Amino acid sequence: MSTENEAVLPLFTWFHQHPEVGHTEFATTQKIKETLKGMGLEPQPLGTLPTGTFALIKGSHPGKTLLLRSDIDALPVAEKAEVRYPSLNPGKMHACGHDIHMTTVLTAARLLTERKEQLHGTVFLAFQPAEEVAGGAVELLDQGVTKGCTEFVGLHSEPLLPVGTLGITAGCVMASTDTFRITLTGAGTHAAAPHLGNNPIPVLFGLGRELMLFAGQKVSPVHNYVLSITHVEAGEAWNVIPDTAMLEGTIRCEYPEDRKTLKKALYRLVDSYAEAHQVSADIYWHDGAPAVLNDEEMVQPAAELARKEGFQVKALEMAMTGDDFSHYKEYAKRYQVSDPELQPQTKPLALYVKVGTGLGAPLHNSHFKADPAAIGPAARFLADFITERLRGR
């Protein structure tokens, strides 16, 4: 391992060994604050949120404000990967590489603080809680602390890429992530007398089949989308027909218009199917994160810089996974509409980079492990890219 990475290994090791799930990242937040203070920065609370923090690196020259975001939460997954620094919190691990994210962003922050005299504008360092549980980015953004930020940079570990490779792709990088839960209510009765009730379980089976088929008739065959049913629940005993049956799942889309179309179509299908089978239907829908979109204005200079610094650059196919990083740019647009002081309007721009952390088990897998050798070069790239963006190049 290079000297550059040896310097950051203790910090990465600490984060890896102390994973905390969303909304409980208290020790993680404290460690981030201590590290920021060690650089001479002043970590600030995220409004009323109990975890997470932010800090500002103010350059010596005027300019715009660019936000660099790291998510900080872990997953409720028991670690099985063979590493020298295993998780010390049973049943929890950084199975999505947020330990890499935090260490990389903090290392980039250190580099940026060392060049404040040459820095134009301000770097907003956002350490966001609860990315893995719905709502983390929205909760942070609702505090209003990011008003004035016009450009946004995020990163993610990528086990499909070797160390030394960056995935930098224009357009849609990750899908929108909506969830639904459908509860059908019929009439329970004895299993030996189904004619005296109305069993919702066969209706649920039929509805599930219809849901898996209908999406392909509603969106273009060349558009990416996924509808998955992930949880089915009904009944408690072998001789009792229950009153209710439930299924839930997710819809992922590349295009926002398909997202709207499929939501409306799902409601229509469920209502008509339930009426035809004389059961009632209750639908819970959660609008998740929008699709993650990379702007060409950010992608082109980022790819050029990455190649100059010796990275292999890959244009990856979009993934049907999601990330609430997409909310940052969306909120910037809303701020500009609602706050006259932010005029004249500047088009918000975003870049989401996938950092090769070594080929291996996929994200969210108990055997996932990220090679910390990726940290130093990725941090240097981020610091250099942000310096150039703030300089207006």
Side-chain angles (χ1 to χ4, degrees):
M1 182 177 291
S2 68
T3 302
E4 180 180 49
N5 280 302
E6 287 177 357
V8 302
L9 187 58
L11 184 60
F12 166 75
T13 299
W14 191 95
F15 285 134
H16 187 88
Q17 290 189 306
H18 299 85
E20 298 170 297
V21 297
H23 297 126
T24 69
E25 313 97 328
F26 297 103
T28 303
T29 298
Q30 185 59 35
K31 185 68 171 180
I32 293 169
K33 289 180 176 180
E34 291 172 359
T35 307
L36 291 168
K37 288 178 180 178
M39 303 177 198
L41 300 176
E42 292 295 328
Q44 303 294 321
L46 290 173
T48 60
L49 299 186
T51 58
T53 187
F54 77 93
L56 302 177
I57 303 174
K58 296 183 178 179
S60 298
H61 306 279
K64 59 193 172 188
T65 300
L66 182 150
L67 183 147
L68 174 60
R69 174 266 209 167
S70 172
D71 32 20
I72 70 173
D73 55 327
L75 285 160
V77 175
E79 185 169 33
K80 297 179 182 178
E82 295 183 3
V83 294
R84 299 190 309 275
Y85 35 81
S87 169
L88 300 177
N89 295 342
K92 301 171 187 175
M93 71 171 289
H94 275 294
C96 204
H98 295 186
D99 47 356
I100 285 278
H101 305 173
M102 289 182 281
T103 313
T104 301
V105 169
L106 286 167
T107 305
R110 186 178 298 279
L111 295 172
L112 288 164
T113 57
E114 292 171 354
R115 58 179 77 162
K116 283 198 294 185
E117 293 302 316
Q118 294 80 41
L119 203 62
H120 294 246
T122 300
V123 182
F124 187 114
L125 302 169
F127 295 91
Q128 178 206 308
E131 188 274 331
E132 297 290 359
V133 293
V138 170
E139 291 170 350
L140 183 155
L141 290 159
D142 280 345
Q143 308 303 311
V145 295
T146 66
K147 285 185 178 179
C149 296
T150 58
E151 296 191 2
F152 305 89
V153 177
L155 73 157
H156 206 290
S157 302
E158 181 50 77
L160 296 176
L161 297 176
V163 172
T165 304
L166 296 181
I168 304 176
T169 310
C172 188
V173 181
M174 302 177 90
S176 58
T177 57
D178 300 323
T179 58
F180 60 88
R181 182 172 64 247
I182 302 164
T183 303
L184 301 181
T185 301
T189 183
H190 196 292
H195 62 289
L196 299 179
N198 186 11
N199 191 344
I201 294 177
V203 183
L204 192 78
F205 290 164
L207 177 60
R209 183 178 62 252
E210 293 296 324
L211 286 171
M212 296 301 294
L213 295 173
F214 94 110
Q217 306 301 313
K218 303 299 179 182
V219 301
S220 168
V222 298
H223 288 190
N224 291 309
Y225 75 91
V226 167
L227 187 152
S228 292
I229 296 172
T230 57
H231 181 199
V232 177
E233 192 172 310
E236 296 180 357
W238 66 272
N239 58 353
V240 178
I241 290 175
D243 289 317
T244 63
M246 180 277 295
L247 65 78
E248 60 184 350
T250 181
I251 293 180
R252 312 293 178 101
C253 292
E254 176 181 7
Y255 293 93
E257 61 268 27
D258 292 342
R259 189 182 184 193
K260 295 175 183 177
T261 296
L262 290 178
K263 179 180 180 180
K264 291 179 181 178
L266 181 141
Y267 271 79
R268 288 195 299 267
L269 172 63
V270 172
D271 288 342
S272 62
Y273 199 86
E275 182 179 2
H277 292 83
Q278 298 180 317
V279 299
S280 63
D282 177 71
I283 304 172
Y284 166 80
W285 181 278
H286 173 71
D287 289 315
V292 178
L293 303 175
N294 272 349
D295 292 291
E296 181 64 39
E297 298 95 321
M298 300 276 272
V299 167
Q300 192 266 338
E304 286 185 3
L305 177 63
R307 292 188 182 98
K308 188 181 300 183
E309 296 195 352
F311 286 97
Q312 292 291 319
V313 176
K314 298 289 185 182
L316 298 177
E317 293 182 359
M318 72 161 290
M320 300 311 292
T321 50
D323 192 309
D324 61 10
F325 175 73
S326 55
H327 282 297
Y328 286 83
K329 187 168 70 172
E330 294 301 311
Y331 267 65
K333 294 175 183 177
R334 296 181 207 172
Y335 292 148
Q336 289 183 337
V337 170
S338 62
D339 192 340
E341 293 184 3
L342 296 179
Q343 306 296 330
Q345 291 191 10
T346 301
K347 176 187 174 184
L349 301 173
L351 175 72
Y352 187 86
V353 178
K354 295 192 176 183
V355 179
T357 51
L359 304 177
L363 301 170
H364 291 219
N365 184 286
S366 61
H367 292 279
F368 170 78
K369 60 180 178 181
D371 189 341
I375 295 170
R380 187 178 65 253
F381 163 76
L382 288 174
D384 292 346
F385 177 72
I386 290 169
T387 301
E388 292 297 308
R389 289 301 302 177
L390 291 179
R391 192 176 292 155
R393 295 182 181 177

